[in-house]
């Protein structure tokens, strides 16, 4: 395996890949239908991203997209980490950690006071990355957004 490179998600097909990868990965691993939610997030980013306030990254390995994360403004003082994904064959190589670190660093540099995220209880590996980065769980709620009953979790990192 070569080196993983984090880069801006600004090449043709990057945003489409994020949508496709989320749809395929979450259906295969959990049976969840996430494409409608993911499509709205990606479309909002494509239409409304403000340079210096919003950003998205893709992790590449030997020219193949293997991960993603977005940092989008929630309001003047809060950014939201979204769409963290790492393909199964590169998990354990630190790609998820590197993507989260890039998002946190961007949010700090952009002047946000806090970075928030929403995840689901079964996503233990992602939760471990978030906790290691200093995020603290703020709340939980039951939802059916992906076609089954899940426990959603909200986290915050003060920057």
């Amino acid at each position: 395996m070569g080196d993983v490179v984090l880069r801006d998600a600004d090449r043709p097909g990057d945003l489409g890949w994020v949508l496709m990868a989320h749809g395929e990965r979450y259906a295969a691993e959990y049976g969840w239908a996430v494409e409608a939610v993911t499509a709205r997030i990606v479309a909002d980013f494509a239409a409304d991203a403000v340079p210096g306030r919003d950003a998205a990254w893709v992790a590449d390995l030997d020219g193949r997209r293997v991960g993603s994360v977005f940092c989008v403004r929630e309001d003047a003082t809060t950014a939201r980490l979204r769409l963290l994904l790492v393909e199964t064959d590169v998990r354990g190589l630190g790609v998820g950690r590197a993507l989260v670190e890039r998002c946190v660093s961007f949010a700090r540099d952009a002047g946000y006071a806090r970075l928030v995220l929403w995840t689901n209880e079964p996503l233990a590996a992602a939760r471990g990355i978030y906790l290691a980065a200093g995020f603290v769980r703020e709340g939980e709620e039951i939802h059916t957004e992906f076609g089954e009953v899940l426990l959603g979790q909200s986290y915050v990192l003060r920057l």
Side-chain angles (χ1 to χ4, degrees), residues 54-149:
D54 304 285
W57 301 272
V58 166
D60 274 342
L61 175 63
D62 298 329
R64 180 174 68 100
R65 297 173 184 105
V66 297
S68 68
V69 73
F70 286 44
C71 185
V72 296
R73 71 191 174 301
E74 185 114 329
D75 58 41
T77 61
T78 304
R80 180 168 293 274
L81 184 153
R82 306 206 81 167
L83 302 178
L84 176 66
L85 179 111
V86 176
E87 291 287 11
T88 55
D89 64 319
V90 298
R91 290 181 185 164
L93 300 178
V95 175
R97 180 184 41 78
L99 286 163
V100 169
E101 287 173 359
R102 176 71 56 94
C103 186
V104 169
S105 177
F106 175 85
R108 278 197 180 106
D109 291 347
Y112 290 109
R114 63 188 207 133
L115 182 60
V116 298
L117 66 87
W118 179 78
T119 189
N120 287 281
E121 192 276 330
L123 304 177
R127 185 173 47 256
I129 292 169
Y130 301 142
L131 292 172
F135 283 88
V136 176
R137 191 169 56 218
E138 234 182 19
E140 296 181 324
E141 74 286 334
I142 300 292
H143 71 92
T144 57
E145 196 164 17
F146 303 142
E148 66 179 68
V149 176

